Amino acid sequence: MSQIGGFFDLWSPVLLILLIVVGSVYSHFVAKANTSSSEQPPVTRGKKLSFYTGLVLFYIGQGSPIDYIGHHFLFSFHMLEQTMLYLIVPIFIWCGLPDWMVRPVLQSKVIGTVFNFFTRPLIALFMFNMLFSVYHMPFIMDGLMRHEFILLLYHLVLLAAAFIMWYPVFCPVPEFDRMTDLKKIGYIFGNGVLLYSGLCPYYFRAIGYL
């Protein structure tokens, strides 16, 4: 592995430090909530485990050799990375956030209005799948790979869209949870159909079947 990339390329210590900072900030607020004098309800061990698992999986997908190999060598590793970052990590993060940590943001007049618009189920679903499918068009991907800064911006937008896409299903604030369980099942099924129909042609072409 050391022959195909340096330590910074393979393990991204800057990202690791950033995630440690995020985890420390989360831990600080959770610790304050878990004191006897706090007005906020305590955060359960399950929620904390979920949040930290999301951070660890994000680092494995974006900061480990999986990212380097997927970027330079194997499309299968690239798809493994994409699956972790956009289809798994947001679920763990949303499930790990206590409602009192998210509620003030959603109640903000400006941010809340914008967020409520983009998290409408159909908008959230089609926005992520459109961005995800466009990203994997060969000429789009080739162009992004030649411009690291634009690629980084696209990844940030795609990550934000992934969090928005999963929000209607795993909303951490009860009063903002709009969908019934049955609708959530249909939403997840629809997302799977859109992902399959939008991405399969590029995947099979990449491995030589088309």
Side-chain angles (χ1 to χ4, degrees):
M1 189 65 68
S2 62
Q3 296 178 353
I4 63 175
F7 176 78
F8 277 79
D9 294 324
L10 295 175
W11 295 105
S12 189
V14 175
L15 177 63
L16 178 60
I17 293 173
L18 177 60
L19 293 177
I20 290 174
V21 170
V22 172
S24 299
V25 172
Y26 174 85
S27 179
H28 170 73
F29 283 104
V30 166
K32 288 181 63 177
N34 286 354
T35 60
S36 57
S37 59
S38 175
E39 298 179 356
Q40 305 295 350
V43 180
T44 64
R45 182 178 301 176
K47 278 191 172 295
K48 291 187 285 186
L49 179 61
S50 179
F51 187 85
Y52 294 131
T53 299
L55 295 184
V56 170
L57 290 176
F58 185 85
Y59 178 72
I60 292 174
Q62 186 67 54
S64 76
I66 291 176
D67 175 63
Y68 185 87
I69 296 173
H71 187 82
H72 295 279
F73 298 102
L74 296 176
F75 188 75
S76 57
F77 271 64
H78 169 77
M79 292 312 303
L80 173 62
E81 175 191 2
Q82 303 286 287
T83 300
M84 294 176 67
L85 295 181
Y86 306 131
L87 302 183
I88 299 177
V89 167
I91 296 175
F92 279 100
I93 297 297
W94 279 129
C95 290
L97 290 173
D99 57 354
W100 52 262
M101 195 176 288
V102 181
R103 187 177 287 109
V105 178
L106 299 182
Q107 291 177 339
S108 169
K109 186 173 182 180
V110 176
I111 298 177
T113 301
V114 174
F115 191 79
N116 286 332
F117 173 78
F118 283 106
T119 54
R120 292 177 181 177
L122 289 179
I123 294 176
L125 193 65
F126 283 100
M127 180 174 64
F128 171 76
N129 280 280
M130 180 190 68
L131 290 169
F132 195 66
S133 297
V134 167
Y135 173 67
H136 288 93
M137 292 179 178
F139 69 96
I140 296 291
M141 180 175 286
D142 291 343
L144 290 173
M145 292 298 179
R146 291 193 292 267
H147 301 87
E148 290 291 335
F149 181 71
I150 299 177
L151 178 63
L152 174 62
L153 289 179
Y154 200 101
H155 280 172
L156 290 175
V157 171
L158 196 53
L159 183 64
F163 273 90
I164 289 173
M165 185 265 293
W166 284 118
Y167 171 84
V169 180
F170 298 98
C171 175
V173 185
E175 62 265 31
F176 289 97
D177 192 0
R178 305 166 180 166
M179 295 201 299
T180 64
D181 291 341
L182 184 60
K183 288 181 179 180
K184 289 178 180 181
I185 293 174
Y187 182 92
I188 294 173
F189 177 78
N191 185 50
V193 171
L194 289 173
L195 281 172
Y196 181 84
S197 60
L199 195 57
C200 273
Y202 306 123
Y203 180 78
F204 287 124
R205 187 177 295 114
I207 62 177
Y209 283 101
L210 294 177

